[in-house]
Amino acid sequence: MKKFSLLMMFLATAFGSFAQEAAAAAEEETKVVIAEPSLGMSTTELLIITLLVFSIILLFVAITLYKSFKVIYQESKNPTPYKTKEERALEYEEWVKQHGEKPSIWNKLLSLKPLSAEKDLEIPHSYDGIKELNNPVPAWFNVLFYGTLIFAAGYLYYYHIGEHGERQDDEYKTEMAKADIAKQKFLAKSTSSVDENSVKIDPSQIAVGKGVFDANCVACHGAAGEGLVGPNLTDEFWIHGGSVKDIFKLVKYGAPEKGMVAWEKNMSSANISAVTNYIISLQGSKPANAKAPQGEKYDPAAAEAVAN
């Protein structure tokens, strides 16, 4: 029984030591390794940078000491005499006599003189004790005056004597010629553009105009132009005139007071012309459910006679 107890104690001790070793190994495996702070450089590189910074500091200190010793040496060789307060305090006039007065750029530009030179500028007459100073003309005025004279001489030679530049009448002719050329180019590019003054009746545009009408005008005027919200477009009565120019102008600029929108920004002039010709082709078509006449009766013959 004693041998069995000793065996069990030995096994327990061995198992305990084994468990401790296993736990230590597991702890080492699960231990989080924390990286030491670093700048991404090795120790040698950090040491070199430190030495360079230290060398720069030493150089700065050496230069400062050199300047200090230089000043000390100069003072010991030629000491600066000490001036008392009474010796340093001078009147302005005495200081000017000793050092001289340097006029500033502002004084030179305005030709200002110091107060000490006022006696030299006095005109030898007085009125009731009032004296007049003969102040010089400012420098800026002289520069401006003589500059205008030089400019006038150059202008006269360039435009009138030498005739190198265009005068106003010639320049006007040149600009008008340029404008005429630009106008010709614009008209050449916009030959297809139409306005209320150049629009004409063209039956070849009716087919295109019908497509434009169906896409934009049916909601107000009906599929056959019989009139819904808007007026009937198939009778002889018109609110804003029934000529091709009147209809073109109405489509282009609209009639806001009547609820007619302007189409000049959403429709090309060619499409406005086409839809105008289509509307004119609807005259006398007499569609079903036509809206009652509105406006005044338009007589093409009478309107042409008035126009002529």
Side-chain angles (χ1 to χ4, degrees):
M1 189 67 183
K2 186 181 287 187
K3 290 181 179 180
F4 179 76
S5 298
L6 290 174
L7 180 62
M8 293 298 294
M9 291 176 61
F10 176 75
L11 290 174
T13 305
F15 180 76
S17 61
F18 177 76
Q20 290 179 356
E21 292 177 359
E27 185 178 357
E28 289 180 358
E29 291 179 357
T30 58
K31 185 178 181 181
V32 179
V33 179
I34 300 175
E36 295 181 357
S38 174
L39 297 176
M41 295 182 291
S42 62
T43 305
T44 305
E45 292 174 342
L46 288 174
L47 181 60
I48 293 173
I49 293 175
T50 304
L51 289 175
L52 287 175
V53 174
F54 186 69
S55 300
I56 294 172
I57 295 173
L58 284 179
L59 180 62
F60 177 75
V61 172
I63 294 173
T64 305
L65 290 175
Y66 170 74
K67 291 183 178 180
S68 301
F69 286 131
K70 185 177 179 180
V71 172
I72 293 173
Y73 173 75
Q74 291 177 352
E75 286 296 324
S76 62
K77 189 175 181 179
N78 296 314
T80 303
Y82 175 76
K83 294 183 179 180
T84 62
K85 185 176 181 181
E86 290 76 11
E87 292 175 343
R88 290 197 303 268
L90 295 175
E91 296 293 335
Y92 175 74
E93 289 78 7
E94 296 179 2
W95 183 88
V96 170
K97 290 179 181 179
Q98 291 182 7
H99 300 278
E101 184 178 8
K102 296 181 180 180
S104 62
I105 297 177
W106 180 256
N107 290 341
K108 290 181 179 179
L109 188 63
L110 297 179
S111 299
L112 299 178
K113 300 295 182 180
L115 293 176
S116 58
E118 186 174 302
K119 293 292 183 181
D120 301 330
L121 299 175
E122 289 182 357
I123 298 176
H125 63 259
S126 62
Y127 299 94
D128 295 333
I130 301 174
K131 296 182 179 181
E132 184 180 0
L133 297 180
N134 186 18
N135 290 313
V137 178
W140 67 266
F141 184 86
N142 288 328
V143 171
L144 181 63
F145 177 73
Y146 291 111
T148 55
L149 293 180
I150 295 172
F151 176 80
Y155 184 91
L156 180 65
Y157 173 78
Y158 184 79
Y159 286 99
H160 295 275
I161 298 176
E163 296 184 353
H164 298 290
E166 291 183 337
R167 285 183 280 184
Q168 290 184 350
D169 50 353
D170 297 329
E171 188 174 357
Y172 171 77
K173 295 177 182 178
T174 303
E175 292 297 325
M176 291 299 294
K178 290 180 180 179
D180 190 34
I181 295 173
K183 181 181 179 180
Q184 296 294 336
K185 291 181 179 180
F186 174 76
L187 292 176
K189 291 181 180 179
S190 59
T191 53
S192 61
S193 62
V194 185
D195 59 13
E196 56 271 21
N197 297 317
S198 61
V199 64
K200 296 180 180 179
I201 297 177
D202 186 1
S204 63
Q205 300 181 11
I206 293 176
V208 177
K210 184 179 186 309
V212 177
F213 185 89
D214 293 341
N216 301 282
C217 309
V218 171
C220 294
H221 296 283
E226 69 275 12
L228 296 175
V229 178
N232 181 6
L233 302 177
T234 64
D235 56 22
E236 299 176 345
F237 293 85
W238 297 88
I239 301 175
H240 300 281
S243 67
V244 63
K245 294 182 179 180
D246 293 334
I247 299 173
F248 184 96
K249 187 186 299 184
L250 179 63
V251 176
K252 182 177 180 179
Y253 300 111
E257 69 279 2
K258 299 292 184 179
M260 175 66 179
V261 299
W263 290 96
E264 61 176 335
K265 294 182 179 179
N266 301 319
M267 192 181 298
S268 66
S269 58
N271 285 343
I272 296 177
S273 176
V275 76
T276 300
N277 278 276
Y278 175 72
I279 292 172
I280 292 176
S281 69
L282 296 176
Q283 294 296 298
S285 58
K286 298 180 180 180
N289 301 321
K291 194 174 182 179
Q294 293 177 272
E296 297 179 359
K297 184 177 181 179
Y298 174 73
D299 186 359
E304 185 177 356
V306 172
N308 294 330

